Amino acid sequence: GVWQDKVLKNLLGSTILYDYIKDMKTVGELDRDDVKKVRTIAVPVGVIAGLIPSTNPTSTALYKAEIAIKAGNAIVFSPHPTALRCIMETVKVIRQAVAEAGGNENLVSCITIPTMEATDNLMRHRDVAMILATGGSAMVRAAYSSGTPAIGVGPGNGPAYLEKTCDLPLAVKRILDSKTFDNGTICASEQSVIVAREMESAVTAELKTQGA
């Protein structure tokens, strides 16, 4: 990858995310409609299993830990074996930050010997209330079929549709910026471009102009 982009990803998953959610109310009464006599009440789910991929391991761990704790939950990570050391180091940093803030550092923990069996046992454990799964198709399918409620993000194949009235140079720039960010390791990066046939030559020319 590109180390400068990885720094930005970690900032997005930690400091920038924190600034965005710090004043949100995530536990207790969120809304009350006295006319319809409806109240919206948020409660923690309990223990979350966080599956972490090898492509964006540190930023994903930071992000999942932050949203889990913000909503009043604990989280146990299942790290991808090829990214174990950097995930463990990230968890160490998170636990230290939790402790320094006066919290219980055990709100965030991590499997230290990652295996398929360990991940499967974690997802099916009776004390795990939800799974946040990020990774390959097989991992996400396993999370959905575990019997535990899961939110999964698998490999992306996002197309970009360029409508005829778009700002073509800007649209192409943003697609290329997205696709080249951290050497394209973000699964949400655009993988293809869809345009009307009459725009094909103009789009192709603009892509070449910008170095694609």
Side-chain angles (χ1 to χ4, degrees):
V2 181
W3 73 264
Q4 295 92 337
D5 293 344
K6 293 187 184 298
V7 170
L8 178 56
K9 283 195 296 187
N10 287 334
L11 287 173
L12 285 169
S14 56
T15 306
I16 297 172
L17 171 66
Y18 170 77
D19 289 338
Y20 183 76
I21 68 173
K22 65 180 180 181
D23 296 322
M24 288 183 181
K25 186 170 185 180
T26 55
V27 177
E29 186 178 286
L30 304 185
D31 184 57
R32 176 193 291 261
D33 188 328
D34 292 325
V35 176
K36 296 180 180 179
K37 300 186 184 305
V38 174
R39 298 166 69 192
T40 302
I41 299 174
V43 296
V45 298
V47 178
I48 295 172
L51 278 55
I52 309 298
S54 60
T55 47
N56 305 290
T58 56
S59 54
T60 303
L62 290 164
Y63 168 78
K64 289 186 177 181
E66 202 158 311
I67 62 173
I69 293 174
K70 174 64 175 173
N73 305 292
I75 189 164
V76 180
F77 290 126
S78 175
H80 193 285
T82 61
L84 176 62
R85 287 188 296 172
C86 61
I87 294 171
M88 291 297 296
E89 187 63 27
T90 304
V91 170
K92 178 181 176 182
V93 170
I94 295 169
R95 286 169 59 89
Q96 181 178 341
V98 171
E100 290 176 355
N104 185 341
E105 63 183 23
N106 291 320
L107 285 170
V108 181
S109 56
C110 186
I111 293 173
T112 56
I113 303 176
T115 62
M116 292 180 65
E117 292 79 10
T119 300
D120 187 63
N121 286 334
L122 174 65
M123 293 192 296
R124 297 176 186 274
H125 197 282
R126 65 183 181 181
D127 291 334
V128 170
M130 177 180 286
I131 303 168
L132 297 179
T134 306
S137 298
M139 176 189 287
V140 173
R141 282 197 298 268
Y144 282 143
S145 62
S146 66
T148 304
I151 300 174
V153 179
N157 190 26
Y161 171 62
L162 300 185
E163 202 270 339
K164 62 183 180 180
T165 61
C166 73
D167 183 333
L168 186 56
L170 180 60
V172 169
K173 178 183 184 303
R174 287 179 172 167
I175 290 170
L176 294 180
D177 286 346
S178 173
K179 185 57 188 167
T180 58
F181 184 84
D182 201 23
N183 290 349
T185 56
I186 301 291
C187 63
S189 295
E190 291 79 359
Q191 304 295 323
S192 58
V193 177
I194 300 172
V195 299
R197 194 167 297 280
E198 60 266 27
M199 292 179 62
E200 182 179 358
S201 59
V203 172
T204 301
E206 186 60 38
L207 283 164
K208 290 180 179 178
T209 298
Q210 296 197 31

